[in-house]
Amino acid sequence: MEKFASPGKGNGLRLLKAVKPGQLLYRAAPFAYIVSKKRLGGVCEHCLRSKEQLPRCSQCKIARYCGAHCQKEAWLDHKRECKCIKDIDPNFPPDSVRLVGRIIFKVMFAQKKSSHFNTFPLFKDVDELSEDMKEGLRHLAKTLQLYLKVEIQDVSQLLPALDIFQIFAKVSASGMRINL
């Protein structure tokens, strides 16, 4: 199997030999993910396993984990989100706002660790949106600003390559959902 770039469509995989039905072809960790609001409390925020009793984060009281190992593994993704959730309590942001928040934190963290990380080629480009979709995305962007304010007080602190509106559009168009 080989990776290839498809102009205007992103990256793809191409098989170089025949495979058997059911054979695992590719495995990759997602760049960012969240547990949907309706599933909170029922699955581990890290491994996504379903359990009846899941200990919750002592800070935000929202995130739940199988145990200390999963909580420790998830901390890099959760620590900034945790502050944001506590800051807006009792309100809770829409799933798309939490997901875009995680994407922004990951991109910003990667930028700080690596000086050559300056692009965001994670989703296909979205050029044409209806006015209703644009208005909805503007509303989500404002909600995101309120959600992130404890970590990012001024939107000008975001990397120049991060266009929040475009990230929302790309997540809306390219996001995937796993039903557990």
Side-chain angles (χ1 to χ4, degrees), residues 39-102:
R39 297 290 297 162
L40 284 174
V43 297
C44 175
E45 291 273 337
H46 178 66
C47 70
L48 305 176
R49 287 191 182 104
S50 192
K51 270 184 144 179
E52 284 201 27
Q53 293 293 329
L54 294 167
R56 63 184 175 179
C57 172
S58 61
Q59 299 293 312
C60 71
K61 311 284 191 238
I62 299 293
R64 294 186 179 257
Y65 302 97
C66 289
H69 174 74
C70 277
Q71 188 169 9
K72 184 178 179 182
E73 290 291 314
W75 184 241
L76 277 178
D77 286 336
H78 180 64
K79 69 179 177 180
R80 290 175 183 87
E81 176 185 55
C82 187
K83 288 180 187 176
C84 295
I85 290 170
K86 284 180 7 185
D87 186 60
I88 65 166
D89 188 47
N91 298 316
F92 197 77
D95 292 345
S96 58
V97 168
R98 288 182 51 232
L99 179 57
V100 171
R102 279 203 177 182

Side-chain angles (χ1 to χ4, degrees), residues 97-116:
V97 168
R98 288 182 51 232
L99 179 57
V100 171
R102 279 203 177 182
I103 291 169
I104 288 171
F105 291 144
K106 278 198 140 179
V107 171
M108 290 180 70
F109 181 70
Q111 176 69 24
K112 289 176 184 172
K113 285 177 59 175
S114 171
S115 61
H116 68 274

